[in-house]
Amino acid sequence: MKTRILFISLVSAGVMLLAGCNRNKADLNNSNNHNNSSNQLNQLLSPATAKVPEDSQTDKPNLLYSQFYKDGNQWHWKLSSKQDGLIDDSQIKSVKSAGQKDVYKFNLVSNTNKKYQLNFNWINGGHQAYTINTSYHSVDANFILADTNQSAEWHNGTPQALEGSWATDYTKNPNNSQQLPYIKQFLNITDTTTNSFVNEYDGNHRLYNSNTNSNTNNLSYQATSQGLYVLKSYSNTSTPVVYNIAIINANQIKVTGLTSAPLTLVKSSSTATTTQDQDPITSSQSGSSTASSATSQQATPGTTSNHLTDQQVVNWIWPQVKSIYPNMNVSSTDFTYMPQMRNGLLYVDVLENHDAAVFKNSKVDSNTDPRVASFRVNSSGQLEEMDSTTGSWIVVSQRTSK
């Protein structure tokens, strides 16, 4: 009997010990989940602690206000309006990815103990503006951090110093592409629009792919201090694209909002000085191959069909550009060249740099459209220029082999 009692006691102790271990593991997992969620919320929401009115392209009589704040280790979301005051003050219980890039799903509990979900995302690259969508209180709105300072005014258009085409130097492809290891980020700013895209290049800096990030209009700006600006504009939806831009000098700017980290871009950043090296008109590299079909998609990296370096692009089209200015002593560096691959073909827009001395001395109106001409390489390997009146393409140069 004593042996049976001892055996039962040992079994009971083992069960209790196992239960204790399982409970400790569960507590540890819950603690880890809480810490991970808290760390993720810290990264997401730390830049969003200001009280911000919703962005509206039409004046609303009762603007909503959004504010995230942290009380101890607990993140909260406060919703209010101009007329109604405080609407809700909810605790954020957890966060997870919503299955879309940069979109997160929050689980919250309101101050009336209502459980609900909210979708949150930072708009474009930097922490400049965010979107909130939740069926609770029917909120679907954008919030621009620059609107925190309600005394700052938005002005139509853009400062003249920011107008132009800007790009980074060649940088490492973040997609870790071995076949296309380099990229350039482009940003074109006019008085009413912005256009940003990324070009992907092979190891010899030949252009293969172009990915458009955004095309926007209805551009406006705030001047936050000397040489510092906030630009906002809109795509086909009502979602704003927002950039913070610092002017470094006449030909260099620092942009926050294109990617998660600030980027330095320069004007006329495609290598614009004409050279005799690798001229695509006579180069055996490009002259010995045929151009891609007009209906083809992206060509395979490693081939040279219809794929040129930025330098080759400038060398080829420069004689055509120079002929447009028979009475002006222009050089290739007085222009900006914007090459893009579209539907398997290479397109190039050429724009005047109105800050160049030759245009300033000629008193060219800086408010005029800087676009000079548009070119493309057709499926037969010929250089074509677009007729600005009809939109048709006319062959202006033919590639030949040495």
Side-chain angles (χ1 to χ4, degrees), residues 378-398:
N378 66 21
S379 59
S380 299
Q382 300 166 315
L383 181 66
E384 297 180 326
E385 183 176 355
M386 188 180 74
D387 186 310
S388 59
T389 302
T390 64
S392 59
W393 294 91
I394 303 169
V395 175
V396 292
S397 180
Q398 173 74 53

Side-chain angles (χ1 to χ4, degrees), residues 15-86:
V15 170
M16 292 177 64
L17 180 61
L18 181 61
C21 289
N22 287 336
R23 185 165 54 250
N24 289 338
K25 288 181 180 179
D27 291 343
L28 181 60
N29 288 335
N30 289 335
S31 176
N32 287 337
N33 289 337
H34 174 74
N35 289 335
N36 290 337
S37 179
S38 179
N39 290 336
Q40 193 171 16
L41 286 171
N42 288 341
Q43 294 175 358
L44 278 174
L45 300 180
S46 292
T49 54
K51 182 179 179 180
V52 189
E54 68 175 308
D55 175 55
S56 177
Q57 295 186 68
T58 58
D59 292 332
K60 291 184 178 180
N62 191 24
L63 284 176
L64 292 175
Y65 290 82
S66 170
Q67 182 178 15
F68 292 93
Y69 70 95
K70 194 174 184 180
D71 185 6
N73 291 321
Q74 181 67 57
W75 277 98
H76 295 251
W77 177 54
K78 186 181 292 185
L79 178 68
S80 59
S81 75
K82 201 168 186 178
Q83 294 179 356
D84 302 327
L86 180 65

Side-chain angles (χ1 to χ4, degrees), residues 31-336:
S31 176
N32 287 337
N33 289 337
H34 174 74
N35 289 335
N36 290 337
S37 179
S38 179
N39 290 336
Q40 193 171 16
L41 286 171
N42 288 341
Q43 294 175 358
L44 278 174
L45 300 180
S46 292
T49 54
K51 182 179 179 180
V52 189
E54 68 175 308
D55 175 55
S56 177
Q57 295 186 68
T58 58
D59 292 332
K60 291 184 178 180
N62 191 24
L63 284 176
L64 292 175
Y65 290 82
S66 170
Q67 182 178 15
F68 292 93
Y69 70 95
K70 194 174 184 180
D71 185 6
N73 291 321
Q74 181 67 57
W75 277 98
H76 295 251
W77 177 54
K78 186 181 292 185
L79 178 68
S80 59
S81 75
K82 201 168 186 178
Q83 294 179 356
D84 302 327
L86 180 65
I87 297 173
D88 213 324
D89 189 342
S90 302
Q91 291 187 7
I92 304 175
K93 295 298 185 181
S94 65
V95 57
K96 64 179 181 180
S97 173
Q100 297 172 272
K101 184 181 179 181
D102 297 327
V103 180
Y104 297 88
K105 192 177 294 292
F106 295 169
N107 288 310
L108 300 94
V109 178
S110 74
N111 54 4
T112 59
N113 210 33
K114 166 72 175 179
K115 295 181 180 179
Y116 65 100
Q117 290 187 329
L118 175 151
N119 285 336
F120 172 92
N121 76 290
W122 286 107
I123 302 170
N124 57 309
H127 294 147
Q128 313 299 315
Y130 61 84
T131 293
I132 284 179
N133 180 275
T134 177
S135 58
Y136 190 51
H137 295 304
S138 300
V139 180
D140 185 7
N142 307 304
F143 299 88
I144 299 176
L145 297 189
D147 287 329
T148 302
N149 181 7
Q150 296 181 44
S151 62
E153 295 184 6
W154 290 101
H155 304 278
N156 292 331
T158 189
Q160 184 179 330
L162 299 184
E163 290 186 38
S165 297
W166 309 84
T168 63
D169 198 354
Y170 296 102
T171 58
K172 184 178 179 181
N173 193 334
N175 296 324
N176 296 319
S177 171
Q178 293 182 346
Q179 295 177 315
L180 300 173
Y182 299 110
I183 65 167
K184 273 189 177 183
Q185 176 80 56
F186 288 78
L187 175 62
N188 185 39
I189 304 174
T190 72
D191 186 48
T192 58
T193 65
T194 67
N195 171 33
S196 69
F197 60 92
V198 178
N199 282 350
E200 294 184 301
Y201 300 83
D202 69 6
N204 293 315
H205 292 171
R206 293 184 296 243
L207 174 60
Y208 272 83
N209 301 330
S210 296
N211 303 303
T212 299
N213 288 345
S214 67
N215 290 306
T216 68
N217 50 39
N218 193 17
L219 181 61
S220 58
Y221 73 95
Q222 280 186 13
T224 56
S225 62
Q226 184 68 33
L228 295 175
Y229 300 93
V230 181
L231 299 188
K232 72 170 179 177
S233 52
Y234 298 86
S235 59
N236 293 332
T237 67
S238 59
T239 302
V241 172
V242 182
Y243 302 123
N244 272 19
I245 301 181
I247 297 177
I248 299 174
N249 55 51
N251 291 302
Q252 194 173 35
I253 58 175
K254 188 173 184 179
V255 181
T256 302
L258 281 169
T259 61
S260 57
L263 294 177
T264 299
L265 295 88
V266 297
K267 193 171 285 188
S268 300
S269 56
S270 293
T271 307
T273 304
T274 53
T275 71
Q276 297 303 313
D277 298 331
Q278 297 294 318
D279 189 325
I281 297 178
T282 58
S283 165
S284 59
Q285 169 189 294
S286 55
S288 61
S289 59
T290 58
S292 301
S293 166
T295 58
S296 68
Q297 295 303 309
Q298 297 164 353
T300 303
T303 68
T304 57
S305 298
N306 205 41
H307 300 289
L308 306 174
T309 66
D310 290 349
Q311 182 65 73
Q312 289 173 321
V313 168
V314 174
N315 287 351
W316 197 359
I317 67 178
W318 171 240
Q320 312 301 325
V321 175
K322 188 176 182 179
S323 67
I324 301 173
Y325 299 85
N327 300 316
M328 293 178 65
N329 187 26
V330 293
S331 65
S332 58
T333 54
D334 297 326
F335 300 86
T336 298

